[in-house]
PDB file of all heavy atoms in Angstrom:
ATOM      1  N   LYS L   1     132.272  23.022 147.968  1.00 98.00           N
ATOM      2  CA  LYS L   1     133.257  22.337 147.266  1.00 98.00           C
ATOM      3  C   LYS L   1     133.660  20.985 147.995  1.00 98.00           C
ATOM      4  O   LYS L   1     133.867  20.997 149.195  1.00 98.00           O
ATOM      5  CB  LYS L   1     134.559  23.112 147.156  1.00 98.00           C
ATOM      6  CG  LYS L   1     135.764  22.500 146.474  1.00 98.00           C
ATOM      7  CD  LYS L   1     136.960  23.355 146.479  1.00 98.00           C
ATOM      8  CE  LYS L   1     138.217  22.685 145.992  1.00 98.00           C
ATOM      9  NZ  LYS L   1     138.086  22.167 144.561  1.00 98.00           N
ATOM     10  N   HIS L   2     133.647  19.927 147.162  1.00 98.00           N
ATOM     11  CA  HIS L   2     134.036  18.603 147.763  1.00 98.00           C
ATOM     12  C   HIS L   2     135.530  18.575 148.050  1.00 98.00           C
ATOM     13  O   HIS L   2     136.392  18.943 147.287  1.00 98.00           O
ATOM     14  CB  HIS L   2     133.694  17.460 146.763  1.00 98.00           C
ATOM     15  CG  HIS L   2     134.134  16.114 147.263  1.00 98.00           C
ATOM     16  ND1 HIS L   2     135.189  15.415 146.771  1.00 98.00           N
ATOM     17  CD2 HIS L   2     133.626  15.380 148.264  1.00 98.00           C
ATOM     18  CE1 HIS L   2     135.328  14.335 147.408  1.00 98.00           C
ATOM     19  NE2 HIS L   2     134.417  14.234 148.345  1.00 98.00           N
ATOM     20  N   ILE L   3     135.854  18.143 149.290  1.00 98.00           N
ATOM     21  CA  ILE L   3     137.265  18.054 149.802  1.00 98.00           C
ATOM     22  C   ILE L   3     137.652  16.559 149.748  1.00 98.00           C
ATOM     23  O   ILE L   3     138.568  16.182 149.003  1.00 98.00           O
ATOM     24  CB  ILE L   3     137.466  18.594 151.169  1.00 98.00           C
ATOM     25  CG1 ILE L   3     136.951  20.086 151.190  1.00 98.00           C
ATOM     26  CG2 ILE L   3     138.880  18.511 151.600  1.00 98.00           C
ATOM     27  CD1 ILE L   3     137.687  21.016 150.218  1.00 98.00           C
ATOM     28  N   GLU L   4     137.024  15.729 150.517  1.00 98.00           N
ATOM     29  CA  GLU L   4     137.233  14.348 150.503  1.00 98.00           C
ATOM     30  C   GLU L   4     136.085  13.614 151.281  1.00 98.00           C
ATOM     31  O   GLU L   4     135.415  14.247 152.109  1.00 98.00           O
ATOM     32  CB  GLU L   4     138.552  13.919 151.217  1.00 98.00           C
ATOM     33  CG  GLU L   4     138.624  14.334 152.682  1.00 98.00           C
ATOM     34  CD  GLU L   4     139.936  13.951 153.286  1.00 98.00           C
ATOM     35  OE1 GLU L   4     140.784  13.376 152.608  1.00 98.00           O
ATOM     36  OE2 GLU L   4     140.089  14.180 154.495  1.00 98.00           O
ATOM     37  N   GLY L   5     135.791  12.421 150.878  1.00 98.00           N
ATOM     38  CA  GLY L   5     134.739  11.584 151.540  1.00 98.00           C
ATOM     39  C   GLY L   5     133.402  12.411 151.477  1.00 98.00           C
ATOM     40  O   GLY L   5     132.890  12.813 150.430  1.00 98.00           O
ATOM     41  N   THR L   6     132.882  12.709 152.674  1.00 97.00           N
ATOM     42  CA  THR L   6     131.674  13.505 152.781  1.00 97.00           C
ATOM     43  C   THR L   6     131.965  14.835 153.395  1.00 97.00           C
ATOM     44  O   THR L   6     131.092  15.533 154.001  1.00 97.00           O
ATOM     45  CB  THR L   6     130.585  12.786 153.691  1.00 97.00           C
ATOM     46  OG1 THR L   6     131.126  12.483 154.994  1.00 97.00           O
ATOM     47  CG2 THR L   6     130.095  11.480 152.995  1.00 97.00           C
ATOM     48  N   THR L   7     133.175  15.356 153.159  1.00 98.00           N
ATOM     49  CA  THR L   7     133.581  16.644 153.653  1.00 98.00           C
ATOM     50  C   THR L   7     133.443  17.652 152.550  1.00 98.00           C
ATOM     51  O   THR L   7     134.071  17.478 151.422  1.00 98.00           O
ATOM     52  CB  THR L   7     135.004  16.667 154.184  1.00 98.00           C
ATOM     53  OG1 THR L   7     135.058  15.703 155.324  1.00 98.00           O
ATOM     54  CG2 THR L   7     135.447  18.032 154.649  1.00 98.00           C
ATOM     55  N   TYR L   8     132.726  18.722 152.785  1.00 98.00           N
ATOM     56  CA  TYR L   8     132.561  19.788 151.734  1.00 98.00           C
ATOM     57  C   TYR L   8     132.838  21.133 152.413  1.00 98.00           C
ATOM     58  O   TYR L   8     132.474  21.315 153.529  1.00 98.00           O
ATOM     59  CB  TYR L   8     131.086  19.777 151.246  1.00 98.00           C
ATOM     60  CG  TYR L   8     130.755  18.702 150.240  1.00 98.00           C
ATOM     61  CD1 TYR L   8     130.640  17.386 150.779  1.00 98.00           C
ATOM     62  CD2 TYR L   8     130.699  18.856 148.910  1.00 98.00           C
ATOM     63  CE1 TYR L   8     130.326  16.305 149.921  1.00 98.00           C
ATOM     64  CE2 TYR L   8     130.473  17.805 148.060  1.00 98.00           C
ATOM     65  CZ  TYR L   8     130.272  16.494 148.565  1.00 98.00           C
ATOM     66  OH  TYR L   8     130.020  15.519 147.692  1.00 98.00           O
ATOM     67  N   ALA L   9     133.558  21.959 151.637  1.00 98.00           N
ATOM     68  CA  ALA L   9     133.918  23.278 152.158  1.00 98.00           C
ATOM     69  C   ALA L   9     132.874  24.330 151.778  1.00 98.00           C
ATOM     70  O   ALA L   9     132.481  24.393 150.663  1.00 98.00           O
ATOM     71  CB  ALA L   9     135.276  23.705 151.650  1.00 98.00           C
ATOM     72  N   GLU L  10     132.463  25.114 152.722  1.00 98.00           N
ATOM     73  CA  GLU L  10     131.515  26.234 152.559  1.00 98.00           C
ATOM     74  C   GLU L  10     132.271  27.453 152.031  1.00 98.00           C
ATOM     75  O   GLU L  10     133.316  27.849 152.552  1.00 98.00           O
ATOM     76  CB  GLU L  10     130.804  26.626 153.828  1.00 98.00           C
ATOM     77  CG  GLU L  10     130.024  27.864 153.738  1.00 98.00           C
ATOM     78  CD  GLU L  10     129.725  28.516 155.110  1.00 98.00           C
ATOM     79  OE1 GLU L  10     130.264  27.992 156.061  1.00 98.00           O
ATOM     80  OE2 GLU L  10     128.944  29.488 155.181  1.00 98.00           O
ATOM     81  N   ASN L  11     131.725  28.022 150.900  1.00 98.00           N
ATOM     82  CA  ASN L  11     132.293  29.269 150.336  1.00 98.00           C
ATOM     83  C   ASN L  11     131.103  30.274 150.178  1.00 98.00           C
ATOM     84  O   ASN L  11     130.160  29.994 149.506  1.00 98.00           O
ATOM     85  CB  ASN L  11     132.883  29.027 148.985  1.00 98.00           C
ATOM     86  CG  ASN L  11     134.015  27.999 148.996  1.00 98.00           C
ATOM     87  OD1 ASN L  11     135.205  28.355 149.231  1.00 98.00           O
ATOM     88  ND2 ASN L  11     133.750  26.768 148.827  1.00 98.00           N
ATOM     89  N   ILE L  12     131.275  31.416 150.889  1.00 98.00           N
ATOM     90  CA  ILE L  12     130.154  32.382 150.914  1.00 98.00           C
ATOM     91  C   ILE L  12     130.134  33.192 149.605  1.00 98.00           C
ATOM     92  O   ILE L  12     131.169  33.736 149.207  1.00 98.00           O
ATOM     93  CB  ILE L  12     130.220  33.247 152.096  1.00 98.00           C
ATOM     94  CG1 ILE L  12     130.068  32.452 153.440  1.00 98.00           C
ATOM     95  CG2 ILE L  12     129.238  34.390 152.073  1.00 98.00           C
ATOM     96  CD1 ILE L  12     130.284  33.138 154.685  1.00 98.00           C
ATOM     97  N   VAL L  13     128.992  33.325 149.012  1.00 98.00           N
ATOM     98  CA  VAL L  13     128.759  34.230 147.848  1.00 98.00           C
ATOM     99  C   VAL L  13     128.091  35.483 148.295  1.00 98.00           C
ATOM    100  O   VAL L  13     128.556  36.567 148.137  1.00 98.00           O
ATOM    101  CB  VAL L  13     127.922  33.514 146.771  1.00 98.00           C
ATOM    102  CG1 VAL L  13     127.604  34.470 145.614  1.00 98.00           C
ATOM    103  CG2 VAL L  13     128.500  32.204 146.301  1.00 98.00           C
ATOM    104  N   ASP L  14     127.002  35.310 149.080  1.00 98.00           N
ATOM    105  CA  ASP L  14     126.243  36.486 149.646  1.00 98.00           C
ATOM    106  C   ASP L  14     125.522  35.955 150.882  1.00 98.00           C
ATOM    107  O   ASP L  14     124.396  35.351 150.721  1.00 98.00           O
ATOM    108  CB  ASP L  14     125.273  37.074 148.604  1.00 98.00           C
ATOM    109  CG  ASP L  14     124.647  38.396 149.186  1.00 98.00           C
ATOM    110  OD1 ASP L  14     124.698  38.622 150.359  1.00 98.00           O
ATOM    111  OD2 ASP L  14     124.136  39.072 148.304  1.00 98.00           O
ATOM    112  N   ALA L  15     126.017  36.171 152.048  1.00 97.00           N
ATOM    113  CA  ALA L  15     125.399  35.620 153.279  1.00 97.00           C
ATOM    114  C   ALA L  15     124.095  36.371 153.596  1.00 97.00           C
ATOM    115  O   ALA L  15     123.265  35.910 154.398  1.00 97.00           O
ATOM    116  CB  ALA L  15     126.398  35.796 154.444  1.00 97.00           C
ATOM    117  N   GLY L  16     123.864  37.456 152.961  1.00 96.00           N
ATOM    118  CA  GLY L  16     122.624  38.240 153.144  1.00 96.00           C
ATOM    119  C   GLY L  16     121.479  37.771 152.143  1.00 96.00           C
ATOM    120  O   GLY L  16     120.462  38.332 152.106  1.00 96.00           O
ATOM    121  N   TYR L  17     121.790  36.734 151.386  1.00 97.00           N
ATOM    122  CA  TYR L  17     120.808  36.190 150.432  1.00 97.00           C
ATOM    123  C   TYR L  17     120.713  34.691 150.492  1.00 97.00           C
ATOM    124  O   TYR L  17     120.704  33.989 149.515  1.00 97.00           O
ATOM    125  CB  TYR L  17     121.118  36.661 148.982  1.00 97.00           C
ATOM    126  CG  TYR L  17     120.015  37.098 148.189  1.00 97.00           C
ATOM    127  CD1 TYR L  17     120.192  37.696 146.932  1.00 97.00           C
ATOM    128  CD2 TYR L  17     118.648  36.950 148.594  1.00 97.00           C
ATOM    129  CE1 TYR L  17     119.161  38.091 146.107  1.00 97.00           C
ATOM    130  CE2 TYR L  17     117.579  37.384 147.861  1.00 97.00           C
ATOM    131  CZ  TYR L  17     117.773  37.938 146.650  1.00 97.00           C
ATOM    132  OH  TYR L  17     116.759  38.379 145.828  1.00 97.00           O
ATOM    133  N   ALA L  18     120.613  34.168 151.744  1.00 98.00           N
ATOM    134  CA  ALA L  18     120.561  32.737 151.951  1.00 98.00           C
ATOM    135  C   ALA L  18     119.188  32.220 151.619  1.00 98.00           C
ATOM    136  O   ALA L  18     119.072  31.097 151.204  1.00 98.00           O
ATOM    137  CB  ALA L  18     120.843  32.447 153.441  1.00 98.00           C
ATOM    138  N   PHE L  19     118.122  33.024 151.721  1.00 97.00           N
ATOM    139  CA  PHE L  19     116.770  32.621 151.467  1.00 97.00           C
ATOM    140  C   PHE L  19     116.437  32.994 150.026  1.00 97.00           C
ATOM    141  O   PHE L  19     115.805  34.022 149.775  1.00 97.00           O
ATOM    142  CB  PHE L  19     115.829  33.308 152.452  1.00 97.00           C
ATOM    143  CG  PHE L  19     114.462  32.715 152.464  1.00 97.00           C
ATOM    144  CD1 PHE L  19     114.171  31.431 152.901  1.00 97.00           C
ATOM    145  CD2 PHE L  19     113.332  33.521 152.095  1.00 97.00           C
ATOM    146  CE1 PHE L  19     112.898  30.887 152.980  1.00 97.00           C
ATOM    147  CE2 PHE L  19     112.050  33.063 152.229  1.00 97.00           C
ATOM    148  CZ  PHE L  19     111.820  31.689 152.502  1.00 97.00           C
ATOM    149  N   SER L  20     116.877  32.215 149.074  1.00 98.00           N
ATOM    150  CA  SER L  20     116.873  32.625 147.615  1.00 98.00           C
ATOM    151  C   SER L  20     116.779  31.386 146.759  1.00 98.00           C
ATOM    152  O   SER L  20     117.196  30.326 147.132  1.00 98.00           O
ATOM    153  CB  SER L  20     118.035  33.484 147.256  1.00 98.00           C
ATOM    154  OG  SER L  20     119.247  32.835 147.532  1.00 98.00           O
ATOM    155  N   ARG L  21     116.347  31.611 145.499  1.00 98.00           N
ATOM    156  CA  ARG L  21     116.454  30.619 144.454  1.00 98.00           C
ATOM    157  C   ARG L  21     117.862  30.806 143.813  1.00 98.00           C
ATOM    158  O   ARG L  21     118.431  31.926 143.799  1.00 98.00           O
ATOM    159  CB  ARG L  21     115.381  30.811 143.388  1.00 98.00           C
ATOM    160  CG  ARG L  21     113.998  31.000 143.934  1.00 98.00           C
ATOM    161  CD  ARG L  21     113.570  30.046 144.981  1.00 98.00           C
ATOM    162  NE  ARG L  21     113.463  28.692 144.392  1.00 98.00           N
ATOM    163  CZ  ARG L  21     113.685  27.601 145.141  1.00 98.00           C
ATOM    164  NH1 ARG L  21     114.117  27.595 146.387  1.00 98.00           N
ATOM    165  NH2 ARG L  21     113.552  26.394 144.593  1.00 98.00           N
ATOM    166  N   ALA L  22     118.389  29.754 143.247  1.00 98.00           N
ATOM    167  CA  ALA L  22     119.770  29.804 142.790  1.00 98.00           C
ATOM    168  C   ALA L  22     119.812  29.173 141.345  1.00 98.00           C
ATOM    169  O   ALA L  22     119.130  28.206 141.031  1.00 98.00           O
ATOM    170  CB  ALA L  22     120.694  29.033 143.692  1.00 98.00           C
ATOM    171  N   ALA L  23     120.738  29.732 140.544  1.00 98.00           N
ATOM    172  CA  ALA L  23     121.112  29.200 139.281  1.00 98.00           C
ATOM    173  C   ALA L  23     122.550  29.594 138.948  1.00 98.00           C
ATOM    174  O   ALA L  23     123.068  30.555 139.582  1.00 98.00           O
ATOM    175  CB  ALA L  23     120.180  29.666 138.134  1.00 98.00           C
ATOM    176  N   ALA L  24     123.140  28.925 137.973  1.00 98.00           N
ATOM    177  CA  ALA L  24     124.493  29.269 137.726  1.00 98.00           C
ATOM    178  C   ALA L  24     124.876  28.897 136.231  1.00 98.00           C
ATOM    179  O   ALA L  24     124.281  27.983 135.712  1.00 98.00           O
ATOM    180  CB  ALA L  24     125.498  28.546 138.695  1.00 98.00           C
ATOM    181  N   GLY L  25     125.832  29.626 135.630  1.00 98.00           N
ATOM    182  CA  GLY L  25     126.326  29.310 134.390  1.00 98.00           C
ATOM    183  C   GLY L  25     127.328  30.404 133.847  1.00 98.00           C
ATOM    184  O   GLY L  25     127.472  31.396 134.546  1.00 98.00           O
ATOM    185  N   GLN L  26     127.915  30.151 132.672  1.00 98.00           N
ATOM    186  CA  GLN L  26     128.882  31.114 132.105  1.00 98.00           C
ATOM    187  C   GLN L  26     128.121  32.265 131.475  1.00 98.00           C
ATOM    188  O   GLN L  26     128.066  32.353 130.256  1.00 98.00           O
ATOM    189  CB  GLN L  26     129.799  30.395 131.183  1.00 98.00           C
ATOM    190  CG  GLN L  26     131.097  31.134 130.879  1.00 98.00           C
ATOM    191  CD  GLN L  26     132.024  31.149 132.077  1.00 98.00           C
ATOM    192  OE1 GLN L  26     132.463  30.113 132.557  1.00 98.00           O
ATOM    193  NE2 GLN L  26     132.353  32.307 132.626  1.00 98.00           N
ATOM    194  N   LEU L  27     127.566  33.147 132.220  1.00 98.00           N
ATOM    195  CA  LEU L  27     126.861  34.267 131.666  1.00 98.00           C
ATOM    196  C   LEU L  27     127.710  35.409 131.182  1.00 98.00           C
ATOM    197  O   LEU L  27     127.334  36.175 130.386  1.00 98.00           O
ATOM    198  CB  LEU L  27     125.892  34.794 132.752  1.00 98.00           C
ATOM    199  CG  LEU L  27     124.672  33.926 133.063  1.00 98.00           C
ATOM    200  CD1 LEU L  27     124.261  34.105 134.504  1.00 98.00           C
ATOM    201  CD2 LEU L  27     123.541  34.243 132.185  1.00 98.00           C
ATOM    202  N   ILE L  28     128.997  35.491 131.677  1.00 98.00           N
ATOM    203  CA  ILE L  28     129.976  36.368 131.224  1.00 98.00           C
ATOM    204  C   ILE L  28     131.125  35.619 130.737  1.00 98.00           C
ATOM    205  O   ILE L  28     131.682  34.691 131.468  1.00 98.00           O
ATOM    206  CB  ILE L  28     130.351  37.402 132.342  1.00 98.00           C
ATOM    207  CG1 ILE L  28     129.143  38.156 132.849  1.00 98.00           C
ATOM    208  CG2 ILE L  28     131.497  38.320 131.853  1.00 98.00           C
ATOM    209  CD1 ILE L  28     129.497  39.060 133.983  1.00 98.00           C
ATOM    210  N   GLU L  29     131.675  35.887 129.500  1.00 97.00           N
ATOM    211  CA  GLU L  29     132.628  35.080 128.920  1.00 97.00           C
ATOM    212  C   GLU L  29     133.963  35.146 129.703  1.00 97.00           C
ATOM    213  O   GLU L  29     134.340  36.183 130.189  1.00 97.00           O
ATOM    214  CB  GLU L  29     132.902  35.592 127.497  1.00 97.00           C
ATOM    215  CG  GLU L  29     131.694  35.379 126.550  1.00 97.00           C
ATOM    216  CD  GLU L  29     131.868  36.023 125.194  1.00 97.00           C
ATOM    217  OE1 GLU L  29     132.893  36.627 125.041  1.00 97.00           O
ATOM    218  OE2 GLU L  29     130.977  35.865 124.377  1.00 97.00           O
ATOM    219  N   GLY L  30     134.621  33.988 129.910  1.00 95.00           N
ATOM    220  CA  GLY L  30     135.808  33.906 130.652  1.00 95.00           C
ATOM    221  C   GLY L  30     135.702  33.808 132.130  1.00 95.00           C
ATOM    222  O   GLY L  30     134.625  34.227 132.653  1.00 95.00           O
ATOM    223  N   GLY L  31     136.655  33.287 132.833  1.00 95.00           N
ATOM    224  CA  GLY L  31     136.542  33.250 134.254  1.00 95.00           C
ATOM    225  C   GLY L  31     135.629  32.081 134.734  1.00 95.00           C
ATOM    226  O   GLY L  31     135.253  31.239 134.025  1.00 95.00           O
ATOM    227  N   ARG L  32     135.252  32.218 136.062  1.00 98.00           N
ATOM    228  CA  ARG L  32     134.392  31.215 136.625  1.00 98.00           C
ATOM    229  C   ARG L  32     132.918  31.467 136.212  1.00 98.00           C
ATOM    230  O   ARG L  32     132.583  32.558 135.807  1.00 98.00           O
ATOM    231  CB  ARG L  32     134.454  31.384 138.219  1.00 98.00           C
ATOM    232  CG  ARG L  32     135.739  31.032 138.821  1.00 98.00           C
ATOM    233  CD  ARG L  32     135.666  31.051 140.264  1.00 98.00           C
ATOM    234  NE  ARG L  32     136.874  30.558 140.968  1.00 98.00           N
ATOM    235  CZ  ARG L  32     136.988  30.293 142.232  1.00 98.00           C
ATOM    236  NH1 ARG L  32     135.918  30.575 143.061  1.00 98.00           N
ATOM    237  NH2 ARG L  32     138.117  29.854 142.773  1.00 98.00           N
ATOM    238  N   PRO L  33     132.117  30.391 136.225  1.00 98.00           N
ATOM    239  CA  PRO L  33     130.713  30.623 136.019  1.00 98.00           C
ATOM    240  C   PRO L  33     130.106  31.638 137.013  1.00 98.00           C
ATOM    241  O   PRO L  33     130.564  31.731 138.088  1.00 98.00           O
ATOM    242  CB  PRO L  33     130.111  29.206 136.233  1.00 98.00           C
ATOM    243  CG  PRO L  33     131.241  28.253 136.107  1.00 98.00           C
ATOM    244  CD  PRO L  33     132.493  28.984 136.516  1.00 98.00           C
ATOM    245  N   GLU L  34     129.139  32.361 136.522  1.00 98.00           N
ATOM    246  CA  GLU L  34     128.432  33.342 137.401  1.00 98.00           C
ATOM    247  C   GLU L  34     127.301  32.635 138.151  1.00 98.00           C
ATOM    248  O   GLU L  34     126.831  31.567 137.729  1.00 98.00           O
ATOM    249  CB  GLU L  34     127.921  34.424 136.576  1.00 98.00           C
ATOM    250  CG  GLU L  34     128.874  35.461 136.126  1.00 98.00           C
ATOM    251  CD  GLU L  34     129.903  34.949 135.139  1.00 98.00           C
ATOM    252  OE1 GLU L  34     129.497  34.315 134.130  1.00 98.00           O
ATOM    253  OE2 GLU L  34     131.129  35.075 135.342  1.00 98.00           O
ATOM    254  N   ILE L  35     126.952  33.214 139.288  1.00 99.00           N
ATOM    255  CA  ILE L  35     125.881  32.741 140.084  1.00 99.00           C
ATOM    256  C   ILE L  35     124.754  33.729 140.134  1.00 99.00           C
ATOM    257  O   ILE L  35     125.032  34.948 140.229  1.00 99.00           O
ATOM    258  CB  ILE L  35     126.314  32.426 141.570  1.00 99.00           C
ATOM    259  CG1 ILE L  35     127.341  31.224 141.534  1.00 99.00           C
ATOM    260  CG2 ILE L  35     125.179  32.060 142.494  1.00 99.00           C
ATOM    261  CD1 ILE L  35     128.065  30.912 142.831  1.00 99.00           C
ATOM    262  N   VAL L  36     123.503  33.291 139.974  1.00 99.00           N
ATOM    263  CA  VAL L  36     122.334  34.104 139.978  1.00 99.00           C
ATOM    264  C   VAL L  36     121.491  33.782 141.195  1.00 99.00           C
ATOM    265  O   VAL L  36     121.164  32.586 141.391  1.00 99.00           O
ATOM    266  CB  VAL L  36     121.553  33.995 138.673  1.00 99.00           C
ATOM    267  CG1 VAL L  36     120.264  34.900 138.745  1.00 99.00           C
ATOM    268  CG2 VAL L  36     122.395  34.285 137.451  1.00 99.00           C
ATOM    269  N   LEU L  37     121.083  34.745 141.944  1.00 98.00           N
ATOM    270  CA  LEU L  37     120.242  34.510 143.118  1.00 98.00           C
ATOM    271  C   LEU L  37     119.047  35.423 142.989  1.00 98.00           C
ATOM    272  O   LEU L  37     119.187  36.616 142.588  1.00 98.00           O
ATOM    273  CB  LEU L  37     120.954  34.742 144.468  1.00 98.00           C
ATOM    274  CG  LEU L  37     122.202  33.936 144.712  1.00 98.00           C
ATOM    275  CD1 LEU L  37     122.796  34.334 146.052  1.00 98.00           C
ATOM    276  CD2 LEU L  37     121.874  32.486 144.758  1.00 98.00           C
ATOM    277  N   VAL L  38     117.824  35.011 143.397  1.00 98.00           N
ATOM    278  CA  VAL L  38     116.700  35.838 143.348  1.00 98.00           C
ATOM    279  C   VAL L  38     115.751  35.348 144.483  1.00 98.00           C
ATOM    280  O   VAL L  38     115.751  34.187 144.892  1.00 98.00           O
ATOM    281  CB  VAL L  38     115.919  35.812 142.062  1.00 98.00           C
ATOM    282  CG1 VAL L  38     115.311  34.445 141.813  1.00 98.00           C
ATOM    283  CG2 VAL L  38     114.906  36.905 141.874  1.00 98.00           C
ATOM    284  N   VAL L  39     114.977  36.311 145.002  1.00 97.00           N
ATOM    285  CA  VAL L  39     114.064  35.933 146.117  1.00 97.00           C
ATOM    286  C   VAL L  39     112.957  35.066 145.522  1.00 97.00           C
ATOM    287  O   VAL L  39     112.385  35.231 144.504  1.00 97.00           O
ATOM    288  CB  VAL L  39     113.443  37.271 146.644  1.00 97.00           C
ATOM    289  CG1 VAL L  39     112.602  37.995 145.625  1.00 97.00           C
ATOM    290  CG2 VAL L  39     112.559  36.952 147.936  1.00 97.00           C
ATOM    291  N   GLY L  40     112.677  34.001 146.324  1.00 97.00           N
ATOM    292  CA  GLY L  40     111.601  33.104 145.953  1.00 97.00           C
ATOM    293  C   GLY L  40     110.292  33.524 146.677  1.00 97.00           C
ATOM    294  O   GLY L  40     109.217  33.602 146.033  1.00 97.00           O
ATOM    295  N   ASP L  41     110.419  33.845 147.956  1.00 97.00           N
ATOM    296  CA  ASP L  41     109.300  34.381 148.725  1.00 97.00           C
ATOM    297  C   ASP L  41     109.667  35.669 149.402  1.00 97.00           C
ATOM    298  O   ASP L  41     110.538  35.645 150.281  1.00 97.00           O
ATOM    299  CB  ASP L  41     108.873  33.332 149.810  1.00 97.00           C
ATOM    300  CG  ASP L  41     108.428  32.007 149.216  1.00 97.00           C
ATOM    301  OD1 ASP L  41     107.323  31.894 148.772  1.00 97.00           O
ATOM    302  OD2 ASP L  41     109.293  31.071 149.253  1.00 97.00           O
ATOM    303  N   GLY L  42     109.109  36.774 148.920  1.00 97.00           N
ATOM    304  CA  GLY L  42     109.447  38.073 149.385  1.00 97.00           C
ATOM    305  C   GLY L  42     109.700  39.022 148.267  1.00 97.00           C
ATOM    306  O   GLY L  42     109.351  38.679 147.098  1.00 97.00           O
ATOM    307  N   VAL L  43     110.268  40.193 148.525  1.00 98.00           N
ATOM    308  CA  VAL L  43     110.607  41.194 147.538  1.00 98.00           C
ATOM    309  C   VAL L  43     112.001  41.612 147.677  1.00 98.00           C
ATOM    310  O   VAL L  43     112.465  42.056 148.759  1.00 98.00           O
ATOM    311  CB  VAL L  43     109.728  42.443 147.630  1.00 98.00           C
ATOM    312  CG1 VAL L  43     110.050  43.410 146.582  1.00 98.00           C
ATOM    313  CG2 VAL L  43     108.247  42.009 147.526  1.00 98.00           C
ATOM    314  N   ALA L  44     112.857  41.477 146.610  1.00 98.00           N
ATOM    315  CA  ALA L  44     114.259  41.727 146.628  1.00 98.00           C
ATOM    316  C   ALA L  44     114.833  41.708 145.172  1.00 98.00           C
ATOM    317  O   ALA L  44     114.089  41.395 144.242  1.00 98.00           O
ATOM    318  CB  ALA L  44     114.953  40.661 147.487  1.00 98.00           C
ATOM    319  N   PRO L  45     116.069  42.100 144.998  1.00 98.00           N
ATOM    320  CA  PRO L  45     116.611  42.147 143.648  1.00 98.00           C
ATOM    321  C   PRO L  45     116.912  40.772 143.067  1.00 98.00           C
ATOM    322  O   PRO L  45     117.187  39.831 143.815  1.00 98.00           O
ATOM    323  CB  PRO L  45     117.897  43.021 143.837  1.00 98.00           C
ATOM    324  CG  PRO L  45     117.849  43.560 145.115  1.00 98.00           C
ATOM    325  CD  PRO L  45     116.957  42.671 146.005  1.00 98.00           C
TER     326      PRO L  45
END
């Protein structure tokens, strides 16, 4: 999240899935957009 200038705040979604492809959108109605993560190289959910 942008704070000011070039300062951005880190917010963890899943620290155990850092090596992943990412996408996001309103997949479930209401609330915040959902985040989708999947393994790019390897085998995982």
Side-chain angles (χ1 to χ4, degrees):
K1 174 183 173 62
H2 178 251
I3 304 302
E4 61 179 2
T6 56
T7 300
Y8 286 75
E10 171 200 6
N11 299 273
I12 294 175
V13 179
D14 187 342
Y17 220 172
F19 193 65
S20 58
R21 316 310 295 150
Q26 199 70 60
L27 288 150
I28 300 174
E29 296 171 357
R32 293 185 174 188
E34 283 66 47
I35 293 173
V36 181
L37 301 179
V38 71
V39 62
D41 300 283
V43 179

